[in-house]
Each structure stands twice: as structure tokens, then as C-alpha cells.
Amino acid sequence: MEILSPAGSPEALRAAVCAGADAVYLGFGQFNARRGARNFSRDELASAVSYCHLRGVKAYLTLNTLASDREMAEAVDCAVQASKLGVDAALIQDMGLVRALRQSAPDLPLHASTQMTLHNLDGVKQAADLGMTRAVLARELSRRDIAYICERAPIEIEVFIHGALCMCYSGQCFMSSVIGGRSGNRGMCAQPCRLPYGWGDELASGHPLSLKDMSLAGHLKELQDMGVACAKIEGRMKRAEYVYIVTKVYADALREGREPTAEELSRLEQAFSRQGFTDGYFTEKKGPDMFGIREEAKNPRELFAQAKAAYDKGEGPGVPVKFYAMVRAGEPVQVGVEDREGRVVTAAGNVPEAARRRAVTQAEVDAQLSKTGGTPYQVTEVRSLVEGGLAVPLSALNGLRRQVLDGLSDKRTAVPQRRHGEYKMGARYENYRGEPDIYLSLRRVGQMTFELVKARPNLITLPVEEIAAHPAEVAETIKRGVPVAAVLPRICFDRELPGLREQLEGCKGAGVTDVYAGNLGLVPLCKEMGFTLRGDFGLQVFNSQGVKEYKRLGFQSLTASFELKLAQIRDLSKAVDLEIIAYGRLPLMITENCAIKNQSGKCVCSNVNLLTDRKGVRFPVERAYGCRNEILNANKVFLADKAADWKRAGLRAIRLLFTTENGVECAQVLESYRGKGNYVPNNYTRGLYYRDVQ
């Protein structure tokens, strides 16, 4: 099992390698999920890749953020440059970038970042079908979920074993961007989850969204036995000393076939913790015990000083090599070296003369070839054939040793030959020129009143479980000429899929033909069952290449990311029908840990649950599929008075997202978007449709 360590800077990279990492991941350019890290310049990246490869360590490029149309060429160029320098793979979130790199860097291996929110087997298979060679699973999966996927996955599986936990599923958090304009999907998360919050009228004195760091120390053998290919340590924003300490604990334990000791666990906690660690998701022990904050702790100065001294002078575990030598009369002295990957380099010296005073011995030859101090190599074996009575200067043996090691270094750091091409935008699809339809996205059947249906919206959507629970009402709505589509959960584990299939059968029986999917993992099921695929906001449609790629996967329509400005949405090449969320409380987080139950000690999802920040702003928290939580924005997006703007964006439809509203409010909002009435929400926002997102 590969130990993959963070390298937020050249110093952290050196620390990781010296501590025994098998691979590192690092950022180059601005298209990575830790834009605040030191990251690497082009020259630094070239040196880093060479440094790693010489020592048998892989280097992965993090390119795991969303790129706009204007940024796509630069993002592709970033990947191409890194590929030419020999990075071993790139971690990707953006479907458009996946498509573009198949064209411009077809030989560069791609890994599906955890930002793609892959959490079930079908999602992993979709990543494989996209040409990816590895999938990084969501941190929220349990041991049984990981084992199930590993046993059946067609590609490598990577899991996080140590580091920070986000409250929200990676790739689905919009809290930082919607509230503060800094997008976690663009590498600029402001970490609002670490701030204090209260409930209802309470003061914001607790930290119900701040999870402890995870640690799967104690589960390494179990992960390896499952078939996990790579164990990942989080922390590109952390200092180099932290990287060294954490990497060494896990690398030593894994290499020695054991779990970390009590003393090693203490070092992990000293290096960084939030009131200890948690393995709650892995062991299925979710709840309040998983939460903690960073306290003012004793500065681990001595521990960090020891770590720095170790990686400043160290070379890491050393690359194992074998030496071969042959000293025979009448033939040039032969020296060869071989690494564990089978690379061999040989060199020939002078023909040895007959010894006048003292003949060279096999022990002397072996001793000279074993001297690899000051190099990254560690000699594990020397095989030599030395005939008696021959004289060979030790300096000649030293020279041959240096020569073959230099040749081996050249081979180990050679850049792979890969194809690279120019990025091309491709065919341009025109904007829809008609009047956009108006779709109503309801949360509950109770919102689907007689009056609302009578107003004849172009489409109503409901959660799949609501339709399955109320098939008669849905069938009646369809009978009255208003089509109904099912909204699928963004998160659905493999063990939940049979229940979802049953609910979809109920939807079919009610006359539903279309479904909204917000995750790749549900695409195969929908296709198999014959539904028309529509893309929900969870797919993160951010650029024209992404639109084309989702079209290739069978989507008939898509929802543009609400982190885009209207002007950017207008300029997207619309290979399929495009819609936006033009009204409602935007979803800020979807969480596996139930904040409501953590606070109250019981399931009270049916109550009004409001999370209150330091300024007294209240965020509704509602139940999501599978007893998860969805945290909604305090203010509603409202664009009814901006119709001229969204009508110019080439949209096939706008979607009005109703969550906490009753049926009367839903009807009033619909009227306002048709240019009638005078409804305006008490507190509203324009969302991100008019402002740049970092």
C-alpha cells in the first residue's frame, strides 16, 4: 500500500521523501485545491519530480479545481507542462478538464480527486470509463463500504488515512463561496465550518461543524488486506515538520508490518490535532465525539526541531540496489548495478595487471562497491567474481561505481515519452433563443398544491423518496398536464442503492420519465432503468468542455454551477439544454454527520432547525436522503426583477428551488418570475451570478 504525503512546498516535499513516503502530491499553478499553499514554480516542479524519481518516489500533480472557459487553456497547459516534466499522474475534479486532457495529454495518467465525490462502486466504474486509473474515495465511507468497492473496482482505490475532515462531502461544499465569495471548489476555502455556531436563539458558542482530524492509525493492515492501493495523508497547508512526523509514523509502521505504537500516536497528536483524532466514519461511530477544535497547545518546538534536523541531513530509506563485478585476467574490469525495478547499468574499466605486491580480494571489491554514502542508494547485495593474483586500483573501482550509479540516476530520472497536443475548444453550440421555461423544484408533496399545478409550470421536480411515497398525487399532477421529474440524492452508498431502485420503480409507476442526477455514481442505474438523464447542480458544470462531456455520458440537460456569473453562463457552449437555479435557498453543505441529532440527542428532522452564526444569521438545516443533513443558505436567491439578464443567457429553463416555503409562497414566487404580482423575499441575495468568485 502506497503512502502518499502532502507537499505544499519544496521543503515539505523533501521532508515527505526523507520520512519514507512512496509518493507525494503537489500543486503547480493556480488550479489546485490548496491555492493558499506555497506550491511550486516550473523550475521547482522539474527539480521536485527529478528528486522524487531518483529516490523511487512518485509525484502527483493536484489539478483538482474547477476551471472556467477562459481558464481552460491555461489549466490544460499547466497539465501538459507537468506531464512533459514527468509527473506520474494528475488529480482531477473538473469533467471538462478530463475531456480536454484526453485530447492534449492522452498519456498522462489521471486520478479522480475526492472533489469528484465518488462514494459508490458505480461512481468508481464511471471514473474508470473516463480513462482514470485511480479513484480517491470520499472520506465519509466506512470500512464495509471501502471493502465492497475495493473488491470489485476496476481501478486503484485511494483513501485518506490522516488529516483534516471537512463537515461537508468534498466537492459539494458551497458555504465558503456563497457566503464569502471564496470557493472551496476553486482552492480558496475560508473554512467557515471551523467558526462557532449556535442553534435557534442560542449564542454562537459551540462548534457543531468542526470535525476532529481523522486518523486510521490502527487500521493499516485492514486497509491493506482490503486491497486499498494508496493511503493518503492530508496537509498541503501544513509545515514541513508536520509532514515529516506524520509520514514517518505511517511509513515506518507499514514497512514493518505493524500498527503505530503509543509513542508514535503521541507524536501525531503533538504535531497537530483538534482535541484528539477520530475514526468515526470508518468504524461507523458517528456523532458528537467526532467533533473538536484546535486548542492553544504547548508548542511542539522540540519535536519539530528533531524532525527538521532529520530531513535536513537525511536521504530517506534509500533506494535498494545490487552490485555486480567481474575481475578476470585478460578482460576489462566489469561493474554493474541493478535497482529493484530491473534497470541495469554496466561499465567497463581497464584490463587488470598481474599483481606485483598485493592482489585485490573479493572482500575489497565488495567493500568499495558498497560505499554509497552521499547518494540516495543503499546496497543490499554485491555479487563479485574476482580471480586471484590480479591488481586493481581501488580508485578505479570507485570510479566505476560512480559511473554506473550516475547512469542509473539518469535512467531513473528520465522523463517518459508521452504524446502532447494543442488544446482546441472544438465545436461551438449556439444559445437557446426562446423564452426560458420555468421549473419548480419542490421539497415536499405538500407544496404541490392544486393552485400551483393549475398555474401550469413547465416542470415540477420532487425528491425521489417523496414521489415514491405519494405516487397517486404525482400521477394526478402528470395527468393534469404538468410533467414531474425525480431528483436523486447526491449521496447514495452501495448499500442504499437497492432501496433507491425500488423508489425509482415507484416513480416509473407514477408516470415519471425524467430524473435529476447530481453524482456520477447514479448514472448507470438511471440508464439501466430507462430514465431520461438531467444533470443537477452537484455535477459542477463549470465550462463548455464539461457540458460536452456530460452530453457524451448521456445527459439531455444540465444545471450550470451557481458559482458562475450570468455572463459566464451566457458564454457557455450549450451542447445540451442548460438551466440555472434562479430562486431559493442554495444548499451550502451536505453532511454525513447529523448536526441535528448531535445537538438534540435524537432525530427531530421534522422540526424547524436553525444554525445561527456569530452575527445572528440563521441557516435552516434539513434532512437529506439517508438521514444526512443539508444546510441551506439564510437568504434566498431572487432574480425575478432581473429577467432581462437571465433571458439573455441562452437558457432552456430556470429552476425555482423551494425548500422551507409553503404552497402559497411557491405560487407567489412563480407569479413573480412570470412578471406578475409584487412578491419579494424579506431577505434575498443575487447569489454569485453578478460577482466574481475566487
Side-chain angles (χ1 to χ4, degrees):
M1 187 164 65
E2 177 181 276
I3 293 290
L4 174 59
S5 294
S9 67
E11 186 181 10
L13 178 137
R14 192 169 72 253
V17 173
C18 290
D22 300 300
V24 297
Y25 59 103
L26 64 161
F28 165 55
Q30 63 175 325
F31 301 99
N32 69 88
R34 290 292 182 271
R35 281 164 62 189
R38 160 76 168 72
N39 292 315
F40 289 71
S41 67
R42 190 184 186 285
D43 289 344
E44 287 172 338
L45 180 62
S47 297
V49 173
S50 179
Y51 177 87
C52 287
H53 287 177
L54 180 59
R55 290 157 180 80
V57 174
K58 292 181 178 179
Y60 302 139
L61 174 72
T62 54
L63 215 63
N64 54 344
T65 59
L66 303 175
S68 67
D69 276 353
R70 288 189 177 184
E71 297 167 329
M72 184 59 72
E74 185 183 348
V76 171
D77 182 62
C78 179
V80 168
Q81 285 189 59
S83 176
K84 288 178 177 178
L85 294 175
V87 296
D88 296 280
L91 284 90
I92 307 292
Q93 172 190 12
D94 192 321
M95 286 288 283
L97 195 51
V98 172
R99 180 183 181 88
L101 289 180
R102 279 206 306 267
Q103 172 197 94
S104 300
D107 301 326
L108 174 65
L110 301 182
H111 295 174
S113 166
T114 191
Q115 291 285 116
M116 290 189 82
T117 326
L118 298 180
H119 58 276
N120 60 31
L121 180 62
D122 279 344
V124 171
K125 287 180 175 179
Q126 286 288 109
D129 290 345
L130 290 167
M132 295 183 159
T133 58
R134 178 184 291 182
V136 188
L137 296 183
R139 294 169 173 89
E140 288 81 357
L141 294 183
S142 70
R143 51 164 48 109
R144 58 172 168 155
D145 301 315
I146 297 169
Y148 179 87
I149 293 171
C150 283
E151 188 178 346
R152 298 162 177 82
I155 55 177
E156 292 181 345
I157 295 300
E158 178 178 308
V159 301
F160 281 88
I161 59 163
H162 193 95
L165 279 176
C166 300
M167 182 64 177
C168 181
Y169 276 84
S170 292
Q172 298 299 314
C173 187
F174 305 98
M175 196 167 195
S176 180
S177 61
V178 170
I179 293 174
R182 293 180 56 183
S183 172
N185 296 304
R186 305 264 292 157
M188 293 298 289
C189 181
Q191 297 193 330
C193 54
R194 301 300 179 190
L195 299 174
Y197 295 88
W199 289 92
D201 295 326
E202 291 177 11
L203 291 175
S205 56
H207 292 81
L209 305 182
S210 181
L211 286 159
K212 294 176 181 178
D213 280 23
M214 77 182 304
S215 173
L216 297 188
H219 302 292
L220 294 180
K221 184 179 187 305
E222 185 179 358
L223 289 167
Q224 185 152 297
D225 290 347
M226 285 178 188
V228 171
C230 175
K232 185 174 196 168
I233 298 166
E234 183 275 337
R236 275 196 295 136
M237 299 292 284
K238 300 282 202 314
R239 56 194 292 172
E241 292 89 341
Y242 167 89
V243 172
Y244 179 86
I245 293 162
V246 176
T247 300
K248 186 158 179 59
V249 167
Y250 285 100
D252 286 355
L254 195 61
R255 189 163 47 245
E256 295 165 16
R258 58 174 176 81
E259 303 296 341
T261 65
E263 199 246 322
E264 287 173 325
L265 294 177
S266 175
R267 288 210 296 272
L268 291 178
E269 193 157 344
Q270 287 180 68
F272 188 93
S273 84
R274 291 184 169 92
Q275 298 172 306
F277 297 109
T278 180
D279 60 0
Y281 287 138
F282 187 79
T283 58
E284 297 186 66
K285 294 176 182 175
K286 296 179 288 188
D289 290 344
M290 287 186 67
F291 292 77
I293 58 172
R294 181 68 170 152
E295 296 178 313
E296 287 299 324
K298 184 179 176 183
N299 193 333
R301 190 173 300 163
E302 185 179 340
L303 181 64
F304 279 9
Q306 292 170 356
K308 183 166 175 53
Y311 69 73
D312 274 346
K313 69 177 182 181
E315 272 292 346
V319 177
V321 293
K322 295 178 183 178
F323 268 101
Y324 305 90
M326 187 167 64
V327 180
R328 300 173 66 176
E331 297 179 14
V333 175
Q334 300 282 337
V335 171
V337 67
E338 181 181 11
D339 65 13
R340 59 185 170 188
E341 289 79 32
R343 301 183 190 89
V344 176
V345 178
T346 60
N350 295 326
V351 176
E353 297 178 357
R356 296 180 182 177
R357 295 182 181 176
R358 186 171 169 280
V360 71
T361 66
Q362 180 178 346
E364 288 174 324
V365 171
D366 291 356
Q368 290 305 118
L369 296 182
S370 297
K371 293 179 178 179
T372 55
T375 76
Y377 298 106
Q378 178 185 18
V379 179
T380 58
E381 185 181 359
V382 180
R383 293 182 185 177
S384 58
L385 171 64
V386 181
E387 291 184 353
L390 299 175
V392 178
L394 298 184
S395 60
L397 287 172
N398 289 341
L400 289 171
R401 183 194 68 231
R402 286 193 294 269
Q403 186 178 341
V404 294
L405 285 180
D406 286 346
L408 182 61
S409 295
D410 289 341
K411 281 192 172 186
R412 292 178 67 84
T413 58
V415 176
Q417 295 300 306
R418 291 173 176 157
R419 295 169 293 165
H420 298 101
E422 184 183 347
Y423 169 66
K424 295 176 183 175
M425 182 72 178
R428 172 80 195 176
Y429 292 83
E430 292 303 315
N431 280 353
Y432 178 71
R433 299 187 183 280
E435 184 86 1
D437 288 343
I438 299 180
Y439 299 163
L440 307 186
S441 195
L442 307 181
R443 185 64 66 108
R444 295 172 295 279
V445 164
Q447 295 168 316
M448 194 171 66
T449 60
F450 179 85
E451 291 74 18
L452 195 67
V453 176
K454 186 179 177 182
R456 300 190 67 79
N458 300 101
L459 177 73
I460 288 177
T461 80
L462 279 164
V464 61
E465 64 268 36
E466 276 289 287
I467 298 175
H470 305 278
E473 291 92 326
V474 171
E476 180 60 27
T477 297
I478 294 171
K479 186 178 177 182
R480 291 174 61 192
V482 178
V484 177
V487 177
L488 304 185
R490 278 184 285 163
I491 306 299
C492 188
F493 291 169
D494 284 295
R495 50 192 148 98
E496 296 171 311
L497 282 172
L500 180 63
R501 178 187 287 272
E502 192 175 320
Q503 290 169 339
L504 283 171
E505 291 288 0
C507 292
K508 263 192 167 181
V512 172
T513 59
D514 292 25
V515 294
Y516 276 82
N519 186 274
L520 285 175
L522 297 182
V523 171
L525 175 61
C526 296
K527 285 184 174 178
E528 178 198 330
M529 296 186 71
F531 285 102
T532 298
L533 266 175
R534 295 173 176 263
D536 210 350
F537 64 87
L539 295 179
Q540 301 282 27
V541 177
F542 209 78
N543 51 60
S544 299
Q545 294 295 342
V547 174
K548 292 177 182 178
E549 189 63 11
Y550 283 120
K551 179 185 180 181
R552 189 185 70 82
L553 291 178
F555 283 86
Q556 300 301 304
S557 71
L558 295 167
T559 306
S561 168
F562 48 74
E563 292 189 324
L564 287 170
K565 292 196 298 185
L566 278 176
Q568 292 173 303
I569 295 169
R570 178 197 64 213
D571 293 340
L572 288 176
S573 176
K574 297 175 180 63
V576 298
D577 289 342
L578 207 66
E579 63 191 72
I580 64 167
I581 294 174
Y583 169 85
R585 297 184 189 274
L586 295 178
L588 304 182
M589 283 189 180
I590 183 162
T591 75
E592 185 63 27
N593 224 305
C594 182
I596 299 171
K597 187 175 181 180
N598 291 343
Q599 179 264 339
S600 63
K602 55 186 176 181
C603 290
V604 286
C605 298
S606 57
N607 295 354
V608 176
N609 294 283
L610 298 171
L611 198 63
T612 308
D613 71 8
R614 297 168 301 167
K615 299 177 181 178
V617 178
R618 298 179 176 186
F619 302 89
V621 183
E622 295 212 339
R623 181 188 178 278
Y625 194 93
C627 282
R628 298 176 178 94
N629 284 171
E630 197 161 53
I631 301 174
L632 307 175
N633 196 20
N635 299 327
K636 301 170 183 177
V637 168
F638 185 69
L639 299 178
D641 57 337
K642 297 287 187 181
D645 294 341
W646 47 261
K647 286 181 178 180
R648 281 197 300 266
L651 301 168
R652 186 66 181 80
I654 61 167
R655 187 146 46 115
L656 311 183
L657 185 64
F658 297 110
T659 50
T660 58
E661 294 86 350
N662 59 38
V664 173
E665 287 178 288
C666 294
Q668 289 176 333
V669 173
L670 174 57
E671 285 295 288
S672 71
Y673 275 79
R674 286 175 168 171
K676 303 171 186 177
N678 54 5
Y679 173 84
V680 177
N682 292 331
N683 298 300
Y684 68 86
T685 173
R686 303 302 188 183
L688 301 168
Y689 291 126
Y690 291 94
R691 57 188 174 123
D692 288 310
V693 177
Q694 286 184 280

